[in-house]
Amino acid sequence: MKPRIITRKQLSELLDRLAQEVCLYAPVRDRTGTSWAKISRADEVCLEAVNTVEPAKGFVFPRCEVLLRFDPQGNPVEPEPPPEQVVFGIRPCDARGIAFLVKFYTQEGRTDPYVKARRQKTTLIGVACSRTAPTCFCLGVGGSPQGSEGLDLLLVDLGDELLAEPVTDKGEKLVADLPAAGEKHLTAAAEQKKKVEAEISLRIDTGRLRELLPGLYESGVWQALALTCVNCGACTFLCPTCHCFDVTDETIRGRTVRCRVWDSCQFTLYSRHASGHNPRLDPASRYRNRIMDKFYYTVEQAGMVSCVGCGRCIISCPAGIDIRQTVRKVQDAK
Amino acid sequence: MDRSEKLRQRARELLEKKEVVMVIGFGPPSDSGISPVLFATTPEEAENLTASTSCAQNLANYLLKVRDRGRVAVVARGCDARSITVLLQENQLKRENLHILGIGCEGVIENGRKSTACAVCRHPNPTIYDELIGEPVPAPEPDPEILKADQEFEQLSPDERWERLSAELDRCIRCYACRQVCPNCYCPVCFVDASMPQLLGRTHNLSDNMVYHIIRALHMAGRCVECGACHRACPVGIDLMRFNRRVAKTVRERFGCDAGTDLNQAPALTGFKPDDPQEFIQ
């Protein structure tokens, strides 16, 4: 698929048109930064922040997914299928997060129909990063500020014009009528990539972690590291790849629904058995689980480290914990 | 010698003389701009202790985590000290197991400006300590904008206040960071985590968010020291201090109690005085 060129005006027109046809979501400015919202016009979009406060994972894995509704007689009713939606302005790290979720949830023999259906109905338009925050480390975990993994279309902002690289047929369809990008556009994008990548210096040796972590299960390092952690769920809820859920039946306004809601391994209730026994009652064992899951369990299960380096867990941690420092301390542990 | 240096010196001495097993303070800020808590158990580890405006958490929270380890020293600003007082009043800590290194506080800087709790701080200096590091600091001029907004909020009708509260709490993602960073929110089993029977719905709809925050506010009435740790911890920026200040003000006006300022005065809602206002049963 050929890279193409789209002007700002054409992009605005495209977004205005999409907003008329389907549900269009994009980052908009709010009190704490930028958040995802349904928009009706291109000029509502805000791409100034490096990233949104919350990740984009909710578009394929919503915070509350209604699995079943019950009619007044108590008979189950299948919920409406998800709507066609376009997500614009997604950053490469968030897109990789979605790629992970889809990979994790659509594996041979254990495919989750809800995630699969939502991804099929979703078009993801990414915008490459032209600057970084000190908490960004996508490059250190296999991503890139111009990465296209998980996307349908990637845009690289070159000033008056944007380079549009289709990744899937869905993306190709959106830009098929546009002129092909010239050599100067490709060179400008490559230069921008080099410049932004140079800003990201901190890396995590994830290969080494995969080897080290199984042997460190009983290490005292977790107790020391977990002392600072307050075991809230902020890092897990704001993580683009954290994917744990609970299923609950609730009556909302007189109607009973069965929902799947996000859960967090940092909560005590998460690991409590029906018997009352809790194998992860100790805060350190919950902290360990999060790190093991990011860099070992998911690598074993889905072949991918489930950290995309977006830095949200660093920004949101009330205790000032930096996952890069955690990894360094784990690597130094004996 | 500046305050941080004095602090490090005293921490080293306490650890060298084995007067304490640990000194709890703050380390240098991470890339998020927040200083992580530092647990120094050796004089060398105490070298990184910092007293600065990036220290966002209430350290009393961590005393509960290490209360079985022996005598510990803790750096305490106005609000840390007030929370420690509440924990002492509620028999969660033993005074003899604490060495309080009091320190005057210049407030926490969050996203380039003074944290909303600190901008109207009334107690920057510790109300209880074993030794004071450096000089006490004067209480800041309260930010007139915040006071004005508080006043406007108070003058709203109950329906309007409810609407305002709903708009804020509708955004809550129930990560419970506000609960987890709060030193005075320490129930062994929170009502939120009760599952047999389940007391609170797990979906993130407004009514469940409301139940969580209102019950928490009621549990904190008369015990909240207005440190603002919950407000700073909220990843989606809910204005929790607007509501906390309102609850604390009501308690002050009705019960004459300013949480954690007087070790001998029990928190307002845990004691009974014949002259307590009792208009609700009249």
Side-chain angles (χ1 to χ4, degrees), chain B residues 173-204:
Chain B
I173 60 171
R174 297 246 299 278
C175 64
Y176 302 125
C178 51
R179 176 189 69 179
Q180 295 302 101
V181 294
C182 178
N184 300 125
C185 204
Y186 56 75
C187 291
V189 178
C190 176
F191 75 98
V192 160
D193 297 325
S195 59
M196 289 185 284
Q198 189 171 301
L199 298 178
L200 189 69
R202 311 269 331 255
T203 56
H204 300 85

Side-chain angles (χ1 to χ4, degrees), chain A residues 14-36:
Chain A
L14 174 68
L15 294 177
D16 283 337
R17 179 169 63 77
L18 287 170
Q20 298 293 316
E21 293 169 359
V22 289
C23 295
L24 176 64
Y25 295 91
V28 298
R29 191 190 295 278
D30 78 356
R31 203 174 61 202
T32 49
T34 52
S35 60
W36 294 103

Side-chain angles (χ1 to χ4, degrees), chain A residues 32-52:
Chain A
T32 49
T34 52
S35 60
W36 294 103
K38 192 172 168 182
I39 61 161
S40 51
R41 287 162 54 96
D43 56 14
E44 291 171 45
V45 180
C46 172
L47 290 174
E48 277 165 40
V50 171
N51 227 327
T52 47

Side-chain angles (χ1 to χ4, degrees), chain A residues 31 228-230 246 250 272, chain B residues 62 65 180 195 202-203 237:
Chain A
R31 203 174 61 202
T228 318
C229 173
V230 293
D246 192 9
E250 285 188 18
R272 191 156 81 203
Chain B
Y62 289 93
K65 280 186 159 194
Q180 295 302 101
S195 59
R202 311 269 331 255
T203 56

Side-chain angles (χ1 to χ4, degrees), chain A residues 30-32 53-54 63-64 134-135 202 223-224 226-234 237-238 246 248 250 252 259 261-263 267-269 272-276 283 286 314-322 324, chain B residues 22 30-32 34-39 56-57 61-62 65-66 69 168 171-181 189 192-196 198 200-205 208 229 232-233 235-239:
Chain A
D30 78 356
R31 203 174 61 202
T32 49
V53 174
E54 289 186 67
R63 186 178 292 147
C64 175
T135 45
L202 283 162
Q223 291 288 347
L227 210 47
T228 318
C229 173
V230 293
N231 280 123
C232 72
F237 285 177
L238 265 47
D246 192 9
T248 176
E250 285 188 18
I252 299 170
C259 307
V261 292
W262 289 356
D263 203 352
F267 298 158
T268 37
L269 193 58
R272 191 156 81 203
H273 296 177
S275 65
R286 301 206 287 277
I314 306 170
I315 296 168
S316 71
C317 181
I321 295 173
D322 185 327
R324 298 167 297 188
Chain B
M22 178 187 275
S30 78
D31 276 343
S32 66
I34 289 176
S35 277
V37 178
L38 180 71
F39 303 88
Q57 288 206 82
N61 196 24
Y62 289 93
K65 280 186 159 194
V66 298
R69 297 199 185 189
E168 281 295 304
R171 296 158 53 226
C172 174
I173 60 171
R174 297 246 299 278
C175 64
Y176 302 125
C178 51
R179 176 189 69 179
Q180 295 302 101
V181 294
V189 178
V192 160
D193 297 325
S195 59
M196 289 185 284
Q198 189 171 301
L200 189 69
R202 311 269 331 255
T203 56
H204 300 85
N205 65 54
D208 287 328
R232 290 187 288 273
V236 293
I238 294 173
D239 194 356

